[in-house]
Amino acid sequence: MDIAGLWDPEPGWLNTASYGLPPKPAWEALQAALSDWRVGATSWEPWDESTGRARESFARIVGADSEHVFVGSTVSAALAPVAAAVPDGAKVLTDNVEFTSNVFPWQVHADRGVQVLAVPSDKLVESITPGIDVVAVSAVQSSTGDVLDLPAVVAASKQIDALLVIDATQAVGWHPITVDGVDALIAHSYKWLMSPRGATLGYLSPRLQERCRPSAAGWYAANDVHGSYYGPVMELAHDARRFDQSPAWFSFVGAAPALELVEQLGVETINRHNLALANEFRDGLGLPPSNSAIVSTNLPGAQEAFAAAGIRAAVRDGKLRASFHIYTTRADVHQALSALKPLI
């Protein structure tokens, strides 16, 4: 597929791990909806159709049945009913650099004895031992770019019958991943899925759906959405929709075409593009090749050098973090390396 014209980034954007750039179809869909909103040209139902499209697209991308996919606003809010469902005294294993959206929802249950145990990334699999009730970890780490050995984590979790909860925010959209062997897989779409912030999608396994109470249930979680605006009669959806949070319309208006474009391009194709550029950047820094689109390195003065050259990246945990996506070019890589050359 020819991607020319789908994005128009200013040169030097190496920060998709903070937020992704919208493709033209997503941007135009959002502008059209905002224009209609401004003058009251339509009701809200056409905007909400995008929520269903995004749900279906996300399900296909992660290999799930759409009936097991729910929508929300943030990862931490999506995980709240899951964390509430674990028993008193449960032990939750996580990475010691895990983004806090997959840590705090568990820690707030400390008053009922829920313990969060954090270990280094390279010790995670060996730490999945009897006594661990939940493994909560990112598919790709935000700060380091480390890619989880998901098959090994799935196998170890299955062996002790621990719930496996994956934050896939830094993975879905460039890293091939499926829900096989996973109990919950949650992703916010505003990074690698290049959507407006506010559109989170998640998978819940049937066994986890049975354990969880849909504590944020509202009209949108009802079996008959349009028949549940008023009154005390509650009949929730019988699938994962009962965990839906009422969607931020415009976020999903932008998300649906962005996710569908990821499908059209193919995650494998995006993965090859991203890794080629990331590894060219790594090679220029004298680093070995990696399987991540995120490059994290401790290079004193890099932040200032990037800023002087007009390159937008990030600093996380004291290290420079550069991230490479489908709209990144070799010219971006060369510009970044030129900026850093005096420091190498």
Side-chain angles (χ1 to χ4, degrees):
M1 181 179 180
D2 185 8
I3 67 170
L6 286 175
W7 292 271
D8 190 25
E10 292 187 7
W13 177 253
L14 300 180
N15 203 11
T16 296
S18 289
Y19 70 84
L21 307 184
K24 187 176 181 180
W27 177 258
E28 291 180 344
L30 182 56
Q31 300 316 302
L34 292 175
S35 294
D36 286 345
W37 173 46
R38 182 170 180 264
V39 298
T42 181
S43 185
W44 59 270
E45 288 86 355
W47 303 332
D48 187 53
E49 290 174 4
S50 299
T51 307
R53 287 170 52 199
R55 188 196 310 270
E56 295 285 345
S57 184
F58 179 80
R60 290 189 294 266
I61 290 171
V62 300
D65 292 331
S66 60
E67 66 181 10
H68 300 319
V69 171
F70 67 99
V71 301
S73 56
T74 66
V75 170
S76 54
L79 287 176
V82 181
V86 301
D88 293 356
K91 291 185 178 179
V92 181
L93 179 70
T94 191
D95 194 301
N96 64 4
V97 293
E98 185 72 8
F99 196 80
T100 50
S101 291
N102 195 16
V103 181
F104 289 0
W106 312 99
Q107 285 184 315
V108 295
H109 292 277
D111 63 316
R112 57 187 188 88
V114 175
Q115 302 176 55
V116 174
L117 310 174
V119 298
S121 301
D122 60 357
K123 302 293 184 183
L124 183 77
V125 175
E126 67 185 62
S127 300
I128 304 174
T129 56
I132 297 297
D133 300 289
V134 181
V135 178
V137 67
S138 289
V140 176
Q141 285 297 339
S142 170
S143 63
T144 64
D146 288 348
V147 177
L148 184 70
D149 185 350
L150 185 56
V153 172
V154 167
S157 301
K158 184 177 181 180
Q159 190 169 12
I160 62 169
D161 197 30
L163 290 174
L164 178 54
V165 177
I166 298 294
D167 180 351
T169 300
Q170 293 287 6
V172 177
W174 76 267
H175 177 62
I177 186 171
T178 72
V179 300
D180 291 347
V182 174
D183 290 289
L185 185 146
I186 318 294
H188 204 306
S189 63
Y190 75 102
K191 297 179 185 286
W192 302 91
L193 290 170
M194 303 170 289
S195 304
R197 182 171 169 86
T200 290
L201 298 113
Y203 160 83
L204 291 180
S205 68
R207 76 161 179 166
L208 189 52
Q209 291 178 46
E210 292 176 0
R211 296 188 189 187
C212 295
R213 176 181 299 184
S215 51
W219 68 280
Y220 203 78
N223 192 47
D224 177 7
V225 169
H226 299 290
S228 300
Y229 295 158
Y230 309 109
V233 178
M234 182 180 72
E235 183 183 353
L236 298 182
H238 305 297
D239 55 14
R241 276 206 315 106
R242 67 184 181 274
F243 297 96
D244 279 0
Q245 299 166 27
S246 181
W249 291 322
F250 302 127
S251 296
F252 281 91
V253 164
L259 268 66
E260 290 164 355
L261 180 61
V262 168
E263 286 190 87
Q264 286 181 268
L265 295 173
V267 174
E268 294 282 359
T269 297
I270 296 171
N271 179 267
R272 287 193 296 270
H273 174 91
N274 293 9
L275 293 188
L277 295 183
N279 282 329
E280 183 174 353
F281 181 66
R282 293 177 65 89
D283 183 63
L285 295 178
L287 300 172
S290 173
N291 61 345
S292 182
I294 300 173
V295 179
S296 175
T297 182
N298 188 8
L299 191 62
Q303 184 180 13
E304 293 76 13
F306 267 8
I311 297 168
R312 286 87 68 210
V315 174
R316 292 293 182 270
D317 200 23
K319 295 181 179 180
L320 176 71
R321 186 188 72 181
S323 40
F324 303 82
H325 205 13
I326 188 64
Y327 39 67
T328 314
T329 66
R330 292 192 71 196
D332 292 320
V333 175
H334 296 162
Q335 180 186 2
L337 289 174
S338 293
L340 298 177
K341 187 175 181 179
L343 307 177
I344 302 173

